[in-house]
């Protein structure tokens, strides 16, 4: 008793400070003791109505929101593996330890409902549950699956400042809204780089896209990754919190649309393009439920284009090429390009950026106007597509340059036909008479080159190199003119028989620096 009294008096005399200094030592001793810590309690969701099979850790029931009846044949996934609902609407799978979301691949005859300004098809997974349950309630479309719809693909809005956001708000969104009116049923998907290393702007952008009047899905880009970590799974957390899963799929009409993160992130501004083994496994698990007569569209950020630098691109091609039509939608480059990968029949569309060259003007580095892609889908085919220039009519598909313009001494009439591919026919008419078929070639786009030189941007040191500001596109055409005084018109015919014409010469960078 006397010993305790002495200790008490000692602390009283020396004050509380001494005790606080010693307290961490007591705590450390407790941590280093041999006494085992209690095991974390297992928590299980309410599993009423589900006979959980052994080893299954992610379960739920999919039902019709109006009738309450079970919805059979719905594919559900955690982004690593997939399962399909049985006759009772029940799905079961063993979830990945890295999974953060569970989502259903929305059936074609299901409405795309909106929640918090995003399509409502996913939910977060709470990792502390031993067996986690999430039920989905889907709404049937009154007329069944759509036979026709339009898909709008928007690459690289890439807003960094309030001024960028304002331009996207005042230019891009109203343009999409007006375009939608012409098509009726429309869905949209962004192709990454929604923001420009500014995670604090993600929620503003998420809430901006509904202003277009189109239901938008989203894809992650390299600039949507959090730049202050070296781990890919950590770098996507901000994006996931705002936009949801990074690998998912959904169905519209007779098309199966897949969104994938093909940015393999390793550090600040350090990444490569491609897919992980886990992603390819997920893709195969998703496609096992998709009949081969479907149209398949894969939406990514970084172009694939049969490049050896894209890891596991051949695995992607092998998975999607057996389908009726297979298309890849990508962005990232800030120029426009269309190409058929002849070895496997997959067609890739590389989209010019909505922000052009980072909101500095009205064009991309290849002269393609700020804009987005528009795809008319009928049954299991894309029956028509075009590039929609922001704030221009959809028939504006050609920019034409006169002889000897922009310090050019070649004597050619030159056309930039930004959405062309090898199947397009481009003809030159002078005074109403056809001069000939214009020849496709690769070089700098005249106006873009002069514009970005005037902004002080450095061009590549070697002819075969490119930078973000200077590109040599493959969609330029030229033909010598018979006279520098003739009335000139260019006619371009696309693979669907659509004819676009141009009789206006662009002679100054001021025509593209700002909207006239």
């Amino acid at each position: 008793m006397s010993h305790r009294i002495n200790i008490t008096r000692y602390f009283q005399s020396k004050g509380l400070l001494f005790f606080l200094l010693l307290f961490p030592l007591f705590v450390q001793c407790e941590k280093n003791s041999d006494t085992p810590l209690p095991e974390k309690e297992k928590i299980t969701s309410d599993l009423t109505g589900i006979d959980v099979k052994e080893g299954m850790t992610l379960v739920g029931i999919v039902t019709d929101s109006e009738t309450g009846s079970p919805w059979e044949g719905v594919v559900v996934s955690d982004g690593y593996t997939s399962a399909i609902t049985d006759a009772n609407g029940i799905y079961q799978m063993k979830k990945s330890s890295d999974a953060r979301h569970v989502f259903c691949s929305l059936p074609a005859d299901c409405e795309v409902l909106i929640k918090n300004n995003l399509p409502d098809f996913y939910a977060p997974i709470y990792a502390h549950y031993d067996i986690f349950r999430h039920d989905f309630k889907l709404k049937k479309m009154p007329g069944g699956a759509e036979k026709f719809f339009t898909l709008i693909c928007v690459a690289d809005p890439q807003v960094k400042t309030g001024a960028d956001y304002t331009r996207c708000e005042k230019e891009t969104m109203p343009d999409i809204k007006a375009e939608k009116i012409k098509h009726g049923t429309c869905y949209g998907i962004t192709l990454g780089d929604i923001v420009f290393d500014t995670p604090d702007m993600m929620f503003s952008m998420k809430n901006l896209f509904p202003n277009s009047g189109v239901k938008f899905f989203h894809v992650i880009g390299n600039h949507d990754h959090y730049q202050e970590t070296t781990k890919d799974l950590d770098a996507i957390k901000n994006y996931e919190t705002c936009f949801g899963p990074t690998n998912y799929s959904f169905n519209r009409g007779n098309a199966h649309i897949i969104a994938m993160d093909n940015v393999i992130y390793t550090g600040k501004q350090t990444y490569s393009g491609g897919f992980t083994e886990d992603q390819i496994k997920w893709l195969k698990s998703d496609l096992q439920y998709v009949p081969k007569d479907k149209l398949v569209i894969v939406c990514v950020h970084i172009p694939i284009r049969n490049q050896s630098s894209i890891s596991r691109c051949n695995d992607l091609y092998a998975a999607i090429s057996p389908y009726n039509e297979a298309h890849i939608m990508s962005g990232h480059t800030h120029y426009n390009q269309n190409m058929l990968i002849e070895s496997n029949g997959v067609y890739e569309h590389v989209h010019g950026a909505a922000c052009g060259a980072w909101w500095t003007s009205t064009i991309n580095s290849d002269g393609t106007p700020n804009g987005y892609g528009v795809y008319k889908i009928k049954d299991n085919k894309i029956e028509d597509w075009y590039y929609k220039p922001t704030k221009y009519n959809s028939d504006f598909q050609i920019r034409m340059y006169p002889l000897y313009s922009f310090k050019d001494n070649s004597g050619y009439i030159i056309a930039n036909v930004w959405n062309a591919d090898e199947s397009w026919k481009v003809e030159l008419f002078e005074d109403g008479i056809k001069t000939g078929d214009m020849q496709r070639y690769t070089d700098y786009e005249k106006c873009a080159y002069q514009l970005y030189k005037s902004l002080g941007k450095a061009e590549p040191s070697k002819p075969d190199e490119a930078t973000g500001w200077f590109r040599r596109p493959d969609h330029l055409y030229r033909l010598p003119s018979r006279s520098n005084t003739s009335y000139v018109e260019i006619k371009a015919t696309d693979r669907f028989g659509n004819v676009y014409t141009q009789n206006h010469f662009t002679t100054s960078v001021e025509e593209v620096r700002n909207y006239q």
Side-chain angles (χ1 to χ4, degrees), residues 65-310:
S65 62
E66 295 184 339
T67 66
S69 58
W71 201 318
E72 184 180 4
V74 177
V75 177
V76 181
S77 176
D78 66 348
Y80 291 85
T81 189
S82 305
I84 193 167
T85 58
D86 61 19
N88 297 314
I90 296 172
Y91 71 88
Q92 304 191 40
M93 71 186 78
K94 182 178 180 180
K95 71 177 179 64
S96 168
S97 59
D98 291 326
R100 294 171 181 156
H101 293 93
V102 57
F103 66 85
C104 63
S105 186
L106 294 175
D109 57 347
C110 162
E111 285 192 21
V112 177
L113 302 177
I114 299 297
K115 181 180 179 181
N116 296 327
N117 286 329
L118 291 172
D120 184 13
F121 68 97
Y122 69 92
I125 293 174
Y126 299 115
H128 61 277
Y129 283 98
D130 184 35
I131 300 176
F132 181 71
R133 173 179 181 170
H134 181 79
D135 295 344
F136 290 95
K137 293 183 178 181
L138 307 180
K139 184 178 180 181
K140 287 271 190 182
M141 298 181 68
E146 297 133 333
K147 293 181 174 58
F148 311 93
F149 71 95
T150 298
L151 181 66
I152 292 176
C153 295
V154 180
D156 302 82
Q158 207 158 334
V159 299
K160 188 172 186 176
T161 66
D164 297 345
Y165 177 88
T166 298
R167 285 196 63 181
C168 190
E169 177 188 30
K170 302 298 184 183
E171 296 171 15
T172 309
M173 293 303 120
D175 198 275
I176 296 173
K177 188 172 185 177
E179 192 67 15
K180 176 187 181 299
I181 295 173
K182 300 191 301 186
H183 295 277
T185 302
C186 283
Y187 300 96
I189 190 163
T190 63
L191 300 173
D193 283 0
I194 301 168
V195 300
F196 192 174
D197 302 337
T198 47
D200 56 316
M201 299 189 76
M202 282 187 177
F203 280 93
S204 295
M205 290 299 288
K206 181 192 80 168
N207 296 329
L208 177 61
F209 272 91
N211 293 353
S212 68
V214 175
K215 297 176 179 179
F216 263 92
F217 296 80
H218 299 280
V219 169
I220 190 172
N222 54 291
H223 289 292
D224 301 318
H225 284 67
Y226 184 59
Q227 299 294 310
E228 304 303 325
T229 181
T230 58
K231 295 181 179 180
D232 190 71
L233 280 174
D234 290 340
I236 64 175
K237 281 183 177 179
N238 285 336
Y239 176 92
E240 287 181 316
T241 299
C242 183
F243 292 105
T246 57
N247 301 289
Y248 62 92
S249 67
F250 62 98
N251 300 277
R252 293 291 89 194
N254 212 6
H256 185 69
I257 302 171
I258 302 164
M260 296 186 74
D261 173 10
N262 74 335
V263 179
I264 300 176
Y265 177 87
T266 54
K268 188 172 185 177
Q269 302 298 339
T270 307
Y271 59 89
S272 60
F275 306 93
T276 65
E277 185 177 350
D278 282 341
Q279 285 180 291
I280 297 299
K281 287 181 178 177
W282 168 77
L283 177 64
K284 291 178 179 179
S285 77
D286 175 77
L287 288 174
Q288 70 179 309
Y289 301 111
V290 180
K292 292 297 191 290
D293 62 352
K294 296 286 186 181
L295 162 67
V296 169
I297 300 172
V298 178
C299 300
V300 295
H301 179 60
I302 298 175
I304 310 295
R305 291 176 305 193
N306 217 20
Q307 296 182 95
S308 59
S309 60
I310 302 297

Side-chain angles (χ1 to χ4, degrees), residues 256-493:
H256 185 69
I257 302 171
I258 302 164
M260 296 186 74
D261 173 10
N262 74 335
V263 179
I264 300 176
Y265 177 87
T266 54
K268 188 172 185 177
Q269 302 298 339
T270 307
Y271 59 89
S272 60
F275 306 93
T276 65
E277 185 177 350
D278 282 341
Q279 285 180 291
I280 297 299
K281 287 181 178 177
W282 168 77
L283 177 64
K284 291 178 179 179
S285 77
D286 175 77
L287 288 174
Q288 70 179 309
Y289 301 111
V290 180
K292 292 297 191 290
D293 62 352
K294 296 286 186 181
L295 162 67
V296 169
I297 300 172
V298 178
C299 300
V300 295
H301 179 60
I302 298 175
I304 310 295
R305 291 176 305 193
N306 217 20
Q307 296 182 95
S308 59
S309 60
I310 302 297
S311 61
R312 297 180 176 83
C313 73
N314 288 330
D315 292 331
L316 175 76
Y317 289 141
I320 66 175
S321 59
Y323 287 85
N324 182 66
E325 278 191 14
H327 294 255
I328 296 173
M329 309 295 183
S330 60
H332 184 59
T333 60
H334 296 250
Y335 64 80
N336 208 65
Q337 186 179 32
N338 290 299
M339 61 187 304
L340 176 69
I341 311 300
E342 293 185 358
S343 60
N344 51 50
V346 177
Y347 196 106
E348 181 160 5
H349 310 257
V350 184
H351 295 74
C355 72
W358 303 275
W359 299 109
T360 57
S361 62
T362 68
I363 59 172
N364 286 259
S365 60
D366 65 340
T368 299
N370 297 9
Y372 49 91
V374 179
Y375 300 86
K376 299 179 182 180
I377 297 172
K378 179 181 179 181
D379 194 26
N380 59 357
K381 294 179 179 294
I382 302 181
E383 67 168 5
D384 193 7
W385 66 69
Y386 57 88
Y387 184 87
K388 175 61 178 67
T390 304
K391 299 193 71 171
Y392 291 98
N393 291 330
S394 58
D395 61 359
F396 176 47
Q397 298 292 318
I398 307 167
R399 198 178 294 278
M400 182 172 69
Y401 298 101
L403 299 173
Y404 314 122
S405 59
F406 294 95
K407 302 179 181 179
D408 176 61
N409 297 315
S410 63
Y412 286 100
I413 299 291
I414 294 175
N416 182 3
V417 190
W418 41 80
N419 210 39
D421 63 16
E422 60 186 13
S423 70
W424 283 51
K425 183 178 182 179
V426 182
E427 303 167 278
L428 178 66
F429 293 81
E430 296 184 68
D431 294 326
I433 300 172
K434 180 177 176 178
T435 303
D437 293 333
M438 302 185 77
Q439 302 303 304
R440 195 178 185 190
Y441 76 108
T442 299
D443 199 358
Y444 288 126
E445 207 269 357
K446 283 186 169 188
C447 202
Y449 177 85
Q450 292 295 331
L451 172 65
Y452 299 124
K453 288 286 285 186
S454 75
L455 294 177
K457 307 302 179 182
E459 63 182 287
S461 57
K462 298 180 181 179
D464 59 344
E465 292 181 345
T467 69
W469 297 95
F470 293 96
R471 297 276 180 174
R472 291 178 168 87
D474 62 358
H475 45 70
L476 299 179
Y477 294 79
R478 65 185 178 186
L479 197 68
S481 175
R482 292 180 177 179
S483 168
N484 61 2
T485 60
S486 58
Y487 171 79
V488 176
E489 183 176 58
I490 291 173
K491 182 172 77 170
T493 307

